[in-house]
Amino acid sequence: MKKFDKERVLLAIAAPALALVAAFTVTALVLLATGKEPLNAFGVMFEYGSKADSQVYILNKATTYYLAGLAVAIGFRMNLFNIGVDGQYRLSAFIAAAAGGAMNLPGLVQIPLIILVAMLVGAMWASITGLLKVYRGVSEVISTIMLNSLATALISYLLVDGRLGVLDSDTNIVSTEPLPESSHFFTIPTCGDLDPIWGFLVVAVLAGCAFWFVLGRTRFGFDLRSVGRSEPAAQASGVGVKRMIVTSMVLSGAMAGLVGMPTVLNDTHQFTADFPLGVGFTGIAVALLGRNHPVGIALGALLWGFLERGANRLEFEGYDKEIVGVMQGVIVLCVVIAYELVRRFGIKRQQQRVGAELAQQAVNLTRREVAQ
Amino acid sequence: MHALVGENGAGKSTLMKILYGMQRPDEGTIALHGEEVELHSPADAIARRVGMVHQHFMLADYLTVLENIVLGAERLHGIGARARARVREISEAYGLGVRPDALVEDLGVADRQRVEILKVLYRGARVLILDEPTAVLAPQEVDALFDNLRELTAEGLTVIFISHKLGEVLSVADDITVIRRGTTVASVEPSRTTAKRLAELMVGSELPSPQTCQSTVTDVELLRVADLRLSVVDADGVSRPVLDDIDLTIRKGEVLGIAGVEGNGQAELVEAIMGMRDPDGGTITLDVRDISHAPTRARREGGIGYIPEDRHRHALLLEAPLWENRILGHVTEAPNSRGWLLDPKAARRDTERIVAEYDVRTPGIEVTAASLSGGNQQKLIVGREMSHLPKLLIAAHPTRGVDVGAQAQIWDQIRAARGEGLAVLLISADLDELIGLSDTLRVMYRGRLVADADPASITPEELGSAMTGAASGHLEHPTDGPGEGR
């Protein structure tokens, strides 16, 4: 059976590699069509993206994207499309930042408390979707999209001087009360005068390990994956499917609660109106790219960070930075197609191999019978 | 009419797939209408007037019959009046009785099958391949199907059909080919052979003949179902009872067989006992414990083993490896887990054991369930359920689509476990299986248990008449004139 495994690994790598090659080709064609030289653009991106300060930037960005990817992947693993990670992380970052600003406790207590608040808010916001789906049959896609808008509206309602926001009279910007010094998360210093790496990277890695362990090694994870593979089979096997839908939405939301934390605890230390937007959607792309596998998602998150870093530089070189958006879109499309193709190919190939091996066994058996 | 018989995994489906252009042969030739051809795809096959009706129907539920037939063949007669006229014409010519404007969703299995046949004829097929067409049909429907097929052959068409049921093969085929382990082992004429001889050719050895075993029924009640009622609300919002005052008791060591035309509430009864549907009234008691509303998992842990009717839908994760399928349904039990953690190592080891003990033909336990043939999937499922030493086994069509060898094996396993005190609820469309295995027989009709019978004296025909609602109460074997055996 070793052969099968080797082939499976090969197939697993073939799909994203194919998708990337296809994506670069399409992007090159787009650049050519707009009268720009493609190879130079890629050269600029790679050169700039691999510089030391870029590496720090990419790692920090990827931390956020990785958590978003994990949040989406929890849903995907059970066939739920949580588009609402976007609203979930913004709302939870906002409430957590406001709560953190209102407290002044030792960091050892306050930081976990802030993280806990964020996860709880995310979980509660996502649980609305789960409950609606279970009790009213509302598609999670629809309700999460709506809840994203509601989260935006709720934040703008509350982020007002006198409610949960404070007005900075110098800059005329409303933000939540800044976190006390004690609640700043640790950073990992880098050499020279480069920016430090966010300490939340460690939390992200731990979250990835937890994801792998819970899904792959626990009874709960098995139940969750079986619902994702076949709902009727899971139900017949004794999984409470409704309960599992709510639980996995809650888990996905709690993970989404972590998405805003690197920014709040390591970077801005407060929630302002220009808090990063749309990371939830990046999470979808990253989860697709990483095939809902914790290592794959990490690679996807790094790639996304790298592309965005490159985009900033391209603008200086006279390219439209939107070209990176095109590239990202094409990558996601190619990845989805490539995975499906490879999956079908894999199944067919395995069936053929099983047939061939059984036939071989049968021939051997018959020979032995004849010999006797 | 040519019949192809062989064990599961013997290569029947593969051969048909090659004929239909879905797979390429490594060597050898195919001659169609006297001319050597090479088929690269189903489209090639259709162009050469070969059509196939798959075992699992390929119809879109929400389209009408006409739309389904025309789908993909719009160029032939358009999609309007001409197409409709052509469908009517074919339907009348061969007595198919297809209503072009009915929604496929509303059709029964037999009607769907006729739509599939019409679909193939509409595309101009002269050679029809049917993959186990009778596996899903009730006895009366099987007769109707063979009438249709005879009409086709009378018009000069060629029909190739795959079957496991040797009785029907003998009665309708003009020629029989037996294949085993990928090669033709015999070509026989039905008039010169017997079912027993055919079966022996298929498995390659002498068959254990189904013997009547000694009764092992004890007087310890294991499952008691009392006044069970269940209604479902259909698409029009009308509530309709599907289970109506069901009363039954199964004792340790007893096999209770339920006969009935499919769709008379058997599936719902099984799902109510498994906890997949919550009954509206009545009680289910397992071994003195009231489980009427207990969750499915608690029931499984309480000792119910389950062989579902539709193994692809309810018993397997097709894209998961065999060892994960071995865990399915028993994730909380040893050897699959310890506490909250899975124990993949032990589960793998135990899967190897099941594969060996239950003769699951597979190159290994890392292959996906989808790559096994139907019979081998079923052997894995039976092995899995039996490995947890159930007190009660619910077996819904346990040998459907399974070849003679595996069938005998599954029957033996059920009999052996029964001897050790297992209670079995057996639901089957195969009346011989029901009569041969059961200690007690009940007949289900329109959600009620309308009749009971003693399997020692009943014939399939008598059972059949109760299944259509023509007889009820205790079915006594008439003393004058013995019924014809099948």
Side-chain angles (χ1 to χ4, degrees):
Chain A
M1 284 313 297
K2 279 272 154 57
K3 269 185 303 183
F4 278 97
D5 291 342
K6 211 195 246 166
E7 194 169 288
R8 206 180 296 165
V9 171
L10 205 73
L11 284 177
I13 296 171
L18 259 173
L20 284 180
V21 170
F24 274 99
T25 317
V26 171
T27 319
L29 291 176
V30 172
L31 279 170
L32 276 176
T34 54
K36 300 268 167 65
E37 209 280 303
L39 284 181
N40 183 42
F42 295 145
V44 168
M45 280 178 69
F46 282 112
E47 193 195 332
Y48 186 66
S50 51
K51 283 188 177 155
D53 58 337
S54 295
Q55 286 176 9
V56 173
Y57 174 96
I58 291 169
L59 270 182
N60 288 346
K61 275 274 175 198
T63 303
T64 301
Y65 294 162
Y66 184 58
L67 290 167
L70 288 182
V72 175
I74 293 175
F76 273 154
R77 271 297 180 93
M78 105 138 226
N79 248 344
L80 280 177
F81 196 177
N82 183 5
I83 301 187
V85 171
D86 209 57
Q88 288 148 21
Y89 91 84
R90 278 185 292 127
L91 191 68
S92 36
F94 170 64
I95 306 268
M103 294 184 290
N104 199 356
L105 299 168
L108 216 59
V109 181
Q110 182 155 345
I111 291 178
L113 212 57
I114 293 174
I115 296 178
L116 198 68
V117 168
M119 291 175 78
L120 277 177
V121 172
M124 281 163 65
W125 199 246
S127 71
I128 300 175
T129 300
L131 294 172
L132 278 176
K133 186 175 172 82
V134 168
Y135 289 109
R136 282 287 167 266
V138 180
S139 158
E140 78 278 7
V141 175
I142 308 291
S143 62
T144 47
I145 290 177
M146 304 254 206
L147 283 167
N148 281 348
S149 306
L150 279 176
T152 308
L154 196 60
I155 291 169
S156 27
Y157 174 74
L158 291 173
L159 191 61
V160 167
D161 194 31
R163 289 196 180 118
L164 286 179
V166 282
L167 180 71
D168 185 333
S169 47
D170 299 334
T171 56
N172 216 16
I173 287 174
V174 186
S175 70
T176 57
E177 186 82 44
L179 297 185
E181 198 71 28
S182 67
S183 309
H184 293 189
F185 209 69
F186 75 92
T187 54
I188 302 163
T190 46
C191 55
D193 51 354
L194 297 174
D195 287 339
I197 295 172
W198 295 346
F200 220 80
L201 178 69
V202 178
V203 178
V205 170
L206 288 177
C209 294
F211 178 95
W212 170 81
F213 185 79
V214 170
L215 279 182
R217 283 288 178 274
T218 65
R219 269 163 40 176
F220 170 78
F222 186 84
D223 284 349
L224 191 145
R225 283 184 290 133
S226 31
V227 178
R229 277 179 161 140
S230 165
E231 208 176 292
Q235 199 205 3
S237 86
V239 180
V241 171
K242 290 186 169 184
R243 200 168 151 177
M244 189 53 88
I245 288 173
V246 176
T247 314
S248 58
M249 273 315 286
V250 163
L251 283 180
S252 182
M255 188 65 91
L258 287 178
V259 173
M261 289 298 99
T263 315
V264 169
L265 294 174
N266 268 126
D267 189 19
T268 59
H269 306 300
Q270 61 190 10
F271 188 96
T272 52
D274 62 348
F275 197 77
L277 197 73
V279 175
F281 299 105
T282 309
I284 296 173
V286 167
L288 280 176
L289 199 60
R291 241 179 166 180
N292 305 320
H293 188 279
V295 177
I297 298 171
L299 295 174
L302 287 169
L303 176 69
W304 234 244
F306 167 79
L307 290 174
E308 281 186 5
R309 182 66 170 175
N312 296 341
R313 186 66 197 171
L314 278 181
E315 221 174 5
F316 286 105
E317 304 277 335
Y319 289 94
D320 305 307
K321 73 169 183 181
E322 282 72 22
I323 194 67
V324 171
V326 172
M327 198 188 279
Q328 290 175 333
V330 175
I331 289 178
V332 172
L333 273 182
C334 292
V335 159
V336 173
I337 297 168
Y339 280 152
E340 187 56 27
L341 287 180
V342 166
R343 192 183 71 91
R344 286 186 195 173
F345 174 78
I347 290 176
K348 210 166 157 187
R349 179 135 178 89
Q350 193 177 40
Q351 284 176 340
Q352 279 170 357
R353 285 210 163 205
V354 169
E357 282 197 29
L358 288 180
Q360 193 55 46
Q361 280 176 15
V363 168
N364 293 343
L365 217 73
T366 319
R367 271 200 200 126
R368 230 175 301 151
E369 275 168 15
V370 171
Q372 282 164 7
Chain B
M1 200 177 307
H2 193 111
L4 192 65
V5 298
E7 277 193 292
N8 280 309
K12 303 180 302 285
S13 294
T14 311
L15 179 59
M16 289 304 109
K17 279 181 184 167
I18 292 173
L19 277 187
Y20 191 51
M22 289 162 78
Q23 259 176 27
R24 296 288 305 279
D26 296 332
E27 279 172 46
T29 57
I30 302 169
L32 260 176
H33 310 299
E35 153 194 15
E36 211 167 278
V37 291
E38 228 176 286
L39 302 168
H40 300 279
S41 70
D44 269 5
I46 292 167
R48 292 180 188 279
R49 320 195 79 178
V50 175
M52 180 153 175
V53 175
H54 297 269
Q55 190 179 3
H56 300 277
F57 300 149
M58 309 211 170
L59 297 171
D61 276 359
Y62 302 120
L63 298 182
T64 64
V65 169
L66 177 67
E67 286 164 338
N68 263 291
I69 291 169
V70 170
L71 194 69
E74 296 85 351
R75 273 191 233 163
L76 289 177
H77 308 284
I79 57 169
R82 253 184 332 127
R84 181 186 307 267
R86 181 76 188 127
V87 167
R88 282 245 164 80
E89 189 185 320
I90 301 176
S91 173
E92 274 157 29
Y94 304 112
L96 292 171
V98 165
R99 292 168 295 147
D101 296 309
L103 270 184
V104 165
E105 192 183 23
D106 302 332
L107 297 183
V109 181
D111 283 327
R112 285 175 195 225
Q113 192 169 51
R114 281 195 279 274
V115 174
E116 283 279 12
I117 293 172
L118 214 159
K119 212 165 108 183
V120 170
L121 295 176
Y122 185 83
R123 285 157 175 75
R126 302 293 295 169
V127 177
L128 236 74
I129 304 170
L130 292 109
D131 192 359
E132 293 191 36
T134 58
V136 291
L137 300 180
Q140 293 88 339
E141 295 170 333
V142 171
D143 295 339
L145 171 72
F146 286 133
D147 288 342
N148 290 146
L149 295 183
R150 277 197 203 94
E151 295 261 359
L152 294 177
T153 47
E155 295 288 326
L157 272 71
T158 306
V159 174
I160 305 174
F161 80 99
I162 299 178
S163 182
H164 287 304
K165 296 181 186 164
L166 303 178
E168 63 190 35
V169 167
L170 285 172
S171 68
V172 301
D174 301 314
D175 238 323
I176 302 171
T177 298
V178 185
I179 66 174
R180 169 158 42 102
R181 289 180 190 150
T183 48
T184 308
V185 290
S187 292
V188 288
E189 275 172 45
S191 53
R192 296 193 186 162
T193 187
T194 62
K196 189 154 182 290
R197 177 81 195 109
L198 267 186
E200 282 165 4
L201 283 171
M202 275 168 66
V203 279
S205 60
E206 295 220 349
L207 276 184
S209 60
Q211 71 249 26
T212 21
C213 291
Q214 283 220 316
S215 167
T216 55
V217 182
T218 62
D219 46 14
V220 189
E221 278 185 17
L222 192 85
L223 179 82
R224 169 178 278 268
V225 175
D227 304 324
L228 191 72
R229 286 188 312 278
L230 178 75
S231 304
V232 294
V233 180
D234 63 16
D236 302 324
V238 182
S239 176
R240 188 170 53 85
V242 286
L243 294 179
D244 204 354
D245 282 331
I246 301 283
D247 276 293
L248 58 85
T249 306
I250 310 180
R251 295 173 188 82
K252 281 191 175 173
E254 179 180 5
V255 178
L256 177 80
I258 294 199
V261 177
E262 262 173 85
N264 275 291
Q266 301 94 318
E268 287 79 5
L269 175 62
V270 166
E271 289 178 2
I273 296 176
M274 279 313 293
M276 294 154 70
R277 282 173 190 264
D278 199 35
D280 300 326
T283 54
I284 304 169
T285 317
L286 176 72
D287 221 5
V288 308
R289 226 175 92 216
D290 182 4
I291 56 161
S292 314
H293 303 282
T296 305
R297 179 152 291 164
R299 298 182 199 212
R300 279 186 173 268
E301 286 167 353
I304 305 187
Y306 181 30
I307 303 173
E309 173 178 354
D310 185 342
R311 55 178 165 263
H312 286 183
R313 212 171 131 71
H314 287 130
L316 294 170
L317 302 173
L318 287 173
E319 291 192 21
L322 298 191
W323 67 270
E324 287 199 359
N325 275 289
R326 189 258 168 274
I327 298 178
L328 187 73
H330 302 279
V331 68
T332 56
E333 294 159 66
N336 299 328
S337 62
R338 271 181 298 188
W340 289 102
L341 296 183
L342 287 183
D343 191 346
K345 218 176 183 178
R348 279 195 168 96
R349 217 168 28 234
D350 201 55
T351 315
E352 299 274 17
R353 178 189 63 80
I354 292 177
V355 165
E357 273 180 26
Y358 289 81
D359 188 30
V360 181
R361 307 228 177 115
T362 169
I365 58 166
E366 298 294 332
V367 300
T368 58
S371 49
L372 295 193
S373 69
N376 285 312
Q377 290 173 344
Q378 191 75 342
K379 286 191 251 178
L380 180 76
I381 295 167
V382 172
R384 172 179 79 194
E385 298 304 323
M386 289 303 195
S387 297
H388 292 275
L389 305 174
K391 290 189 261 182
L392 169 71
L393 178 71
I394 298 180
H397 307 278
T399 58
R400 167 173 287 178
V402 163
D403 61 75
V404 180
Q407 198 175 38
Q409 199 184 328
I410 291 172
W411 286 342
D412 283 347
Q413 274 143 7
I414 292 178
R415 280 204 196 98
R418 183 188 74 153
E420 287 162 24
L422 175 77
V424 181
L425 176 66
L426 175 70
I427 289 165
S428 181
D430 182 343
L431 299 184
D432 294 330
E433 173 174 86
L434 273 176
I435 293 172
L437 270 186
S438 305
D439 298 300
T440 318
L441 272 173
R442 306 288 289 274
V443 181
M444 204 163 183
Y445 179 65
R446 298 206 174 147
R448 292 170 152 274
L449 292 174
V450 293
D452 58 284
D454 181 1
S457 59
I458 197 88
T459 63
E461 282 67 30
E462 287 158 355
L463 214 48
S465 71
M467 283 163 65
T468 55
S472 64
H474 184 70
L475 302 178
E476 281 288 359
H477 189 62
T479 40
D480 52 287
E484 262 177 58
R486 286 219 296 179

